Amino acid sequence: MKKILTLICCTIVLAATSCKKEYVTTAPSATTIFDTTPAFVLDTDPKNNIFGYTTTLSVPEITDYYNSHGAVLVYLDEDGTYEQLPDVYGGITYRFVYGKGTLYIDAQNADGSVPTSANKPGPLKLKIVLVP
């Protein structure tokens, strides 16, 4: 009985000492601030009920890595406070889509009505956060 107890204790000690701690360190997130007047273009597709403005920003920091492993967060500066997109500001709904090196921003009337030139988005200050 003493041999069995000794064997069990040795097995437990061996199993406990064979564990390996692994530390994972990640790179910090990168933040880019755009103070821009994007060229919003009217995009209408009555067949799919799409009426709004769209623009494309070149952001070379967005690589293929963020499509498969990371995240891209976009914030709109609203009078000194940042609101994460998608967001409704001033009766306009903003959303974004990104791809390698490119950020697409759509702006539509929040009530779904057809936009006019008076509803065209003005200058935007965007904060883009790339999370690895």
Side-chain angles (χ1 to χ4, degrees):
M1 183 70 177
K2 203 174 192 184
K3 287 183 180 182
I4 294 174
L5 188 58
T6 304
L7 189 59
I8 291 174
C9 288
C10 288
T11 305
I12 292 172
V13 169
L14 182 63
T17 59
S18 66
C19 293
K20 174 176 99 172
K21 288 185 181 180
E22 186 175 326
Y23 296 98
V24 177
T25 52
T26 59
S29 60
T31 301
T32 303
I33 295 182
F34 280 84
D35 193 0
T36 181
T37 307
F40 277 98
V41 178
L42 186 61
D43 183 17
T44 59
D45 184 1
K47 182 180 176 184
N48 293 318
N49 203 24
I50 297 174
F51 303 99
Y53 287 95
T54 184
T55 189
T56 303
L57 297 173
S58 175
V59 186
E61 294 86 359
I62 300 175
T63 61
D64 283 333
Y65 174 82
Y66 293 100
N67 284 332
S68 52
H69 301 294
V72 176
L73 305 174
V74 179
Y75 297 86
L76 177 64
D77 184 355
E78 298 176 359
D79 302 324
T81 59
Y82 286 99
E83 291 285 334
Q84 187 172 4
L85 297 185
D87 189 29
V88 177
Y89 180 68
I92 299 174
T93 301
Y94 293 94
R95 72 176 194 98
F96 76 97
V97 178
Y98 66 91
K100 181 181 177 185
T102 309
L103 181 71
Y104 306 97
I105 299 177
D106 294 332
Q108 299 177 351
N109 288 349
D111 62 2
S113 63
V114 177
T116 63
S117 59
N119 299 64
K120 186 174 183 177
L124 298 175
K125 186 172 184 180
L126 300 172
K127 180 164 100 173
I128 301 168
V129 180
L130 305 176
V131 181

